[in-house]
Amino acid sequence: MVTATQSTKNAVMTHRMLVPRLSLMMFIQFFIWGSWSVTLGLVMTQHNMSLLIGDAFSAGPIASILSPFVLGMLVDRFFPSQKVLAVMHLMGAVILWFVPQAMVAQNGVLLIALLFGYTLCYMPTLALTNNIAFHSLANSEKSFPVVRVFGTIGWIAAGVFIGFTGIAASVTIFSLAAVCSVILAIYSLTLPHTPAPAKGLPFKVRDMFCADAFALMKIRHFFIFALCATLISVPLGTYYAFTASWLADAGVENVSTLMSFGQMSEIFFMLVIPLLFRRLGVKYMLLIGMFAWFVRYALFAMGMGDETRTLILLGILLHGICYDFFFVVGFIYTDRVAGEQVKGQAQSMVVMFTYGIGMLLGSQISGALYNNLVAGQATAENWALFWWIPAIAAAAIAVLFFFTFKYRD
């Protein structure tokens, strides 16, 4: 028979292990993504498919638009989040295993189809891991950045690993991601139980379309946030799709390792979020994050010359501010605004706006810019023009946000 003292000790031990358990979840989650997406464009170039890079990076955004709402509805009403997470990663692992064959065969249609199928499984898990963490943590504003920083460490570890092992430009990156997906699928079943908050309530057609989550758009400050989150993700899509190819053209030998410095800066800025949150508040942290995208791309545009090469490193190091101050703070802000019954749907909605609509536009627009400005004529001047376009766009979005977002912490 378990005594009250034993129960208390068990509860304390479980609480102490909560952050490490959630941190490991985030580590593997982003190790998977970082192991293949950073150098996808480079691998495609090696297999004569550079003109399809924009389309390849559009697969994830389209998946983010189509799938997260169904998953959000499932975890809000029917199934525990940790079990859905396990199923999604297991299905993703199966699809990833066949990607190298399509790449080697230079079958562009099959490659895009496989990437689309995989991202249909993977992109919803970004919201699922957030949902599990927010549900389990008592003080999310203080603890979530600590948990989420291990996702950044996972991304860094992936970049360093594929660089150190020499597989960054090889199709082996997809096999690595598949194995890690199986590992996370198994580990997901050990995560804290995250029940469906609205389980048992009558199902309505409006639930399929996540009408309750969309109702948040009636709140003016949330509407402005959603609009600016979508717009700022357009320049973000440019970074993910073409930075690796640009660095290679700039003469960088170990592309994945250099890009991992951006994630290293995330570690520092992620950990200072709880401190700055109280002083700056939601609006100014989001604003700094958006303005940092302008500064980063301006540095990229000016860094192609031999004498200004250090500007490239500075631009990459800004990734911590660019990503953490907007996207991590944005997820915390969404958790604040959303009601208890629609937290899963609300997190999925933010994923749809950012990784979905915004990055889809970014992938397509940057793909068109690359094909017209850079492909076949990768000069320093053409690359500079390529980066100035998203820089100016990011500055305009930051100004729009500053004058229209009204929210009191």
Side-chain angles (χ1 to χ4, degrees):
M1 185 173 180
V2 180
T3 65
T5 302
Q6 289 175 321
S7 298
T8 302
K9 288 183 178 179
N10 291 337
V12 171
M13 182 61 67
T14 300
H15 177 73
R16 286 179 178 176
M17 291 302 297
L18 179 61
V19 170
R21 291 168 65 196
L22 295 174
S23 298
L24 180 58
M25 170 191 73
M26 287 293 186
F27 179 91
I28 306 174
Q29 171 78 16
F30 283 87
F31 185 98
I32 294 169
W33 197 4
S35 65
W36 68 268
S37 68
V38 173
T39 58
L40 171 62
L42 190 59
V43 177
M44 292 181 67
T45 301
Q46 297 291 323
H47 291 84
N48 302 314
M49 288 190 282
S50 61
L51 295 180
L52 294 176
I53 292 176
D55 294 328
F57 277 91
S58 296
I62 294 174
S64 296
I65 295 172
L66 296 178
S67 60
F69 274 108
V70 176
L71 267 295
M73 184 266 294
L74 289 177
V75 300
D76 278 340
R77 285 190 167 273
F78 299 108
F79 304 107
S81 293
Q82 76 278 7
K83 291 185 178 180
V84 179
L85 184 67
V87 172
M88 290 295 100
H89 276 296
L90 189 59
M91 292 172 59
V94 173
I95 297 172
L96 276 174
W97 196 255
F98 294 98
V99 172
Q101 301 173 35
M103 189 77 77
V104 172
Q106 297 183 19
N107 189 332
V109 174
L110 178 58
L111 175 66
I112 301 301
L114 288 172
L115 289 176
F116 178 65
Y118 171 69
T119 51
L120 275 174
C121 297
Y122 182 86
M123 298 311 289
T125 63
L126 296 173
L128 288 172
T129 50
N130 285 347
N131 194 48
I132 293 170
F134 281 123
H135 179 269
S136 305
L137 297 170
N139 187 344
S140 60
E141 292 177 11
K142 180 180 179 181
S143 302
F144 181 72
V146 176
V147 169
R148 178 57 183 79
V149 77
F150 279 88
T152 300
I153 295 173
W155 185 288
I156 294 170
V160 172
F161 181 81
I162 65 175
F164 180 77
T165 56
I167 64 172
S170 165
V171 295
T172 308
I173 58 175
F174 300 104
S175 301
L176 172 65
V179 171
C180 293
S181 295
V182 173
I183 293 173
L184 183 52
I186 297 171
Y187 180 67
S188 297
L189 298 177
T190 71
L191 292 171
H193 181 58
T194 308
K199 187 174 183 179
L201 296 179
F203 177 75
K204 302 175 183 177
V205 176
R206 70 195 307 270
D207 296 326
M208 181 65 71
F209 297 98
C210 298
D212 291 332
F214 271 111
L216 295 174
M217 302 294 283
K218 296 178 181 178
I219 304 172
R220 189 177 187 279
H221 59 79
F222 189 83
F223 172 79
I224 296 298
F225 164 75
L227 174 63
C228 291
T230 303
L231 293 176
I232 203 66
S233 297
V234 175
L236 173 66
T238 306
Y239 176 79
Y240 282 134
F242 289 102
T243 301
S245 298
W246 167 63
L247 290 173
D249 285 344
V252 175
E253 294 183 1
N254 199 333
V255 172
S256 64
T257 301
L258 179 60
M259 290 185 68
S260 70
F261 281 102
Q263 278 66 44
M264 291 179 189
S265 74
E266 271 194 56
I267 296 176
F268 171 77
F269 290 108
M270 194 88 69
L271 294 176
V272 300
I273 283 178
L275 301 176
L276 296 178
F277 212 101
R278 288 173 290 181
R279 296 187 178 186
L280 299 178
V282 169
K283 177 175 181 174
Y284 288 101
M285 292 196 72
L286 293 174
L287 180 64
I288 292 171
M290 284 187 286
F291 187 73
W293 283 102
F294 160 72
V295 177
R296 152 181 269 189
Y297 289 145
L299 291 172
F300 281 2
M302 296 184 293
M304 284 296 287
D306 292 334
E307 297 179 356
T308 57
R309 192 60 56 88
T310 54
L311 297 181
I312 294 178
L313 178 59
L314 292 176
I316 289 175
L317 290 175
L318 276 176
H319 188 73
I321 299 177
C322 293
Y323 189 89
D324 296 348
F325 280 33
F326 191 84
F327 289 93
V328 175
V329 172
F331 283 127
I332 295 173
Y333 161 75
T334 301
D335 186 66
R336 276 187 177 185
V337 175
E340 190 64 35
Q341 301 299 317
V342 293
K343 286 185 181 292
Q345 293 181 23
Q347 294 292 342
S348 296
M349 184 166 63
V350 174
V351 169
M352 185 198 76
F353 287 139
T354 54
Y355 293 106
I357 298 173
M359 287 191 64
L360 173 61
L361 292 173
S363 298
Q364 289 297 308
I365 293 172
S366 62
L369 288 174
Y370 176 85
N371 292 343
N372 285 281
L373 295 176
V374 180
Q377 46 186 351
T379 64
E381 292 77 14
N382 290 341
W383 270 118
L385 178 59
F386 176 87
W387 290 118
W388 274 119
I389 294 172
I392 295 171
I397 296 164
V399 172
L400 171 67
F401 180 82
F402 176 74
F403 286 107
T404 57
F405 185 78
K406 310 292 184 183
Y407 173 72
R408 292 186 178 181
D409 293 270

